[in-house]
Amino acid sequence: MNAAVNLPNGVTLADLDAFEKAVDTIIDVSHRLAKHWWIDPKTGEDLRKNPLIVPTKLLLTVSEICEAMEGDRKDAMDDHLPQFPAFATELGDAIIRIGDLAGAVSAKVGSAAKAKLLYNATRPDHKAENRVKKGGKKY
């Protein structure tokens, strides 16, 4: 990476390296703990061969995001882990599902996310002065 990049809010290139490593760890641990969900318990078939498994897993992740939204909307505590707000546990579930899926298909999400953070930090349409212009991104 270009060491001359000026990242906002005190973020450094070392922070981005740590972010990449953390994402890779999330993927590794999430997938190792969930590997049994990728094998049909009746047939022993590897479910990664099913062309509908990725869309199914993606929509299960969307359902976790929706549950997080409901937890936030209702200011609810989690049903299974009542010491945590439902918002936090459902976001955690989404992270776990994303990690598991990335691990199952060997997606290089850590390096891609690091590159995306660096790109987003330097793109003109993300700068405050451009966001307030007509047609700028509100969010």
Side-chain angles (χ1 to χ4, degrees):
M1 276 193 193
N2 183 350
V5 172
N6 186 18
L7 297 168
N9 303 315
V11 174
T12 66
L13 292 176
D15 292 331
L16 292 179
D17 291 340
F19 177 86
E20 178 181 10
K21 185 176 180 181
V23 170
D24 289 341
T25 299
I26 289 167
I27 290 168
D28 176 59
V29 173
S30 297
H31 182 58
R32 284 191 292 136
L33 285 171
K35 273 189 172 185
H36 63 284
W37 290 105
W38 294 90
I39 304 297
D40 185 311
K42 293 180 184 170
T43 66
E45 178 190 0
D46 183 343
L47 295 174
R48 290 174 295 181
K49 295 177 183 176
N50 181 333
L52 298 178
I53 197 66
V54 169
T56 298
K57 296 288 187 170
L58 288 170
L59 286 177
L60 286 169
T61 303
V62 168
S63 74
E64 303 297 357
I65 300 294
C66 292
E67 290 171 6
M69 189 274 301
E70 281 299 299
D72 182 61
R73 188 171 76 92
K74 295 178 180 177
D75 201 24
M77 297 306 284
D78 189 76
D79 293 340
H80 303 288
L81 298 171
Q83 70 271 32
F84 295 106
F87 178 76
T89 60
E90 298 305 338
L91 286 180
D93 278 340
I95 291 168
I96 292 165
R97 285 197 178 275
I98 290 167
D100 176 37
L101 176 56
V105 301
S106 300
K108 302 299 180 200
V109 176
S111 57
K114 175 183 165 182
K116 187 65 175 185
L117 281 173
L118 183 60
Y119 171 71
N120 284 347
T122 60
R123 59 191 288 185
D125 61 330
H126 282 207
K127 294 182 188 265
E129 62 269 19
N130 293 323
R131 291 179 57 208
V132 297
K133 291 179 181 175
K134 181 172 175 58
K137 292 182 178 182
K138 292 182 184 178
Y139 49 88

